[in-house]
Amino acid sequence: MLKGRNLIEPGDYSLEEMDGLFSVAEKIEDDKNYLRESCRGKLLATLFFEPSTRTRLSFEAAMLRLGGSCLGFAEPGSSSAAKGESLSDTIRTVACYADAIVMRNPKEGAALLASRVSGVPVINAGDGGHHHPTQTLTDLLTIRRLRGELGNLTIGFCGDLKFGRTVHSLAKALSRYPGVKEIFISPPELKVPGYITQGVLEKEMIPYKEAEKLEDVIGDLDVLYMTRVQRERFFNEEDYIRLKDFYVLTKDKMKNAKKEMVILHPLPRVNEIAAEVDDDPRAVYFKQARYGMYIRMALLASILGALC
Ligand code: CP
């Protein structure tokens, strides 16, 4: 259904196309043999110009579980980028070898540029503070699977809402579903940008509010989306140190949360969720990481034309 298509930002796919992916991912979770070997003979290139654990390894696990193979690099210093090769030339070259390219790059717009010169589909695995669409698909699948639907819920985003690209993408993606309310919980320095609140939510008439204290709003939430303060995007270390522990979710703070609320986190976490919360059945961030592999299996099978 998505054969040959790029994925640069979540809005690239219609709601129907995303629903189709979620259904395939759910089928994969329910039947481990579904689509097994469907990508045999296909090759995926994973080009990571920035560190990653989940995105790179879940893409590679997804491809291997579909029967395909992977090549690529996790460290740009080991590629000819270190000799000054342009991104365009790197992509043109890799497209000669692989059937699809997954790329993470610190520069906003890098994935779009790659898709314009690539002879094979490009999947954006994160471009700076811009988009991380497969994380958004992961988040949506997790919510759909564990809450039963993507509409009619109140979601709270907490932490670094300025630099957190996963927040921007998910806030925007959820605005496409009915009955969604969004609450942004951050210190003043890390507020969600106006292009999300005014540019998307106000335009779409999605109710939202901003808060500084998690305790003031936690009882209203169906989903709490925690994020880490993004050290790598700060201009100075002093500000990072001042803000890094602004929010720490503890068992005590969870006392006021709804019984059926779910806690998501794109991970990695640093200190913003205390390890004591991990045993709470509402803490679903490791399940979320697993859903990341299922949705990437569905996406790869779809883009590579392995779905009938
Ligand atoms: N969620 C996420 O993108 O994790 P990684 O940085 O480990 O890939």
Side-chain angles (χ1 to χ4, degrees):
M1 62 185 170
L2 296 170
K3 189 175 175 187
R5 295 263 298 272
N6 299 306
L7 177 58
I8 307 305
E9 59 170 294
D12 287 350
Y13 294 171
S14 67
L15 288 185
E16 293 71 29
E17 287 166 335
M18 294 206 298
D19 268 356
L21 287 176
F22 299 143
S23 299
V24 172
E26 287 168 357
K27 251 174 133 170
I28 293 169
E29 185 188 14
D30 294 340
D31 173 4
K32 300 289 179 284
N33 285 319
Y34 180 58
L35 294 180
R36 190 175 279 267
E37 301 300 316
S38 64
C39 288
R40 178 148 302 280
K42 301 281 186 190
L43 204 47
L44 177 70
T46 57
L47 311 183
F48 279 70
F49 294 84
E50 269 196 330
S52 167
T53 296
R54 275 145 295 272
T55 311
R56 185 173 67 83
L57 295 182
S58 64
F59 261 116
E60 293 184 1
M63 192 58 178
L64 296 171
R65 282 171 182 259
L66 293 169
S69 307
C70 305
L71 78 171
F73 53 81
E75 164 47 63
S78 67
S79 78
S80 285
K83 299 179 209 161
E85 184 170 46
S86 69
L87 180 64
S88 299
D89 285 1
T90 302
I91 296 295
R92 279 196 180 101
T93 305
V94 175
C96 297
Y97 311 143
D99 299 294
I101 295 173
V102 172
M103 183 182 77
R104 173 171 290 184
N105 192 289
K107 292 199 180 120
E108 278 101 5
L112 184 62
L113 183 149
S115 70
R116 288 187 175 150
V117 298
S118 175
V120 298
V122 172
I123 301 171
N124 183 7
D127 58 332
H130 208 185
H131 293 293
H132 189 354
T134 60
Q135 182 64 49
T136 307
L137 289 174
T138 300
D139 300 338
L140 293 173
L141 174 65
T142 308
I143 296 170
R144 174 174 140 136
R145 203 61 168 154
L146 301 178
R147 295 281 322 183
E149 61 175 336
L150 286 165
N152 305 312
L153 55 84
T154 300
I155 179 164
F157 296 95
C158 179
D160 180 352
L161 310 188
K162 180 179 178 185
F163 295 112
R165 59 188 169 200
T166 62
V167 169
H168 307 164
S169 292
L170 184 58
K172 202 170 159 188
L174 280 171
S175 74
R176 300 166 84 186
Y177 295 89
V180 168
K181 294 182 191 146
E182 304 194 6
I183 301 181
F184 298 101
I185 309 138
S186 73
E189 297 91 334
L190 297 177
K191 276 170 74 153
V192 69
Y195 83 86
I196 295 294
T197 47
Q198 287 135 43
V200 178
L201 302 181
E202 287 177 23
K203 252 193 200 156
E204 301 295 327
M205 294 195 292
I206 306 298
Y208 78 89
K209 69 176 183 183
E210 294 179 85
E212 197 172 318
K213 280 189 150 181
L214 177 58
E215 295 88 318
D216 290 347
V217 294
I218 196 167
D220 299 333
L221 306 178
D222 303 306
V223 177
L224 170 59
Y225 194 89
M226 293 295 295
T227 62
R228 124 191 114 87
V229 175
Q230 308 234 338
R231 181 180 206 157
E232 65 276 29
R233 313 218 188 272
F234 270 74
F235 292 113
N236 77 67
E237 186 71 4
E238 252 172 50
D239 283 349
Y240 169 72
I241 289 169
R242 185 167 53 80
L243 294 169
K244 73 183 171 67
D245 293 328
F246 204 90
Y247 299 104
V248 181
L249 184 63
T250 57
K251 264 189 175 171
D252 194 50
K253 286 187 188 139
M254 284 297 291
K255 279 183 190 151
N256 295 326
K258 291 181 190 172
K259 281 199 170 32
E260 66 280 12
M261 185 191 84
V262 289
I263 310 163
L264 274 69
H265 191 310
L267 303 177
R269 81 171 136 183
V270 180
N271 200 30
E272 56 281 357
I273 302 178
E276 65 181 17
V277 177
D278 295 357
D279 295 334
D280 188 311
R282 294 169 288 186
V284 300
Y285 25 90
F286 291 109
K287 268 190 194 162
Q288 184 185 355
R290 178 165 272 272
Y291 285 125
M293 181 179 69
Y294 295 140
I295 197 70
R296 289 175 177 114
M297 287 174 79
L299 179 67
L300 290 173
S302 205
I303 281 178
L304 293 170
L307 288 179
C308 305

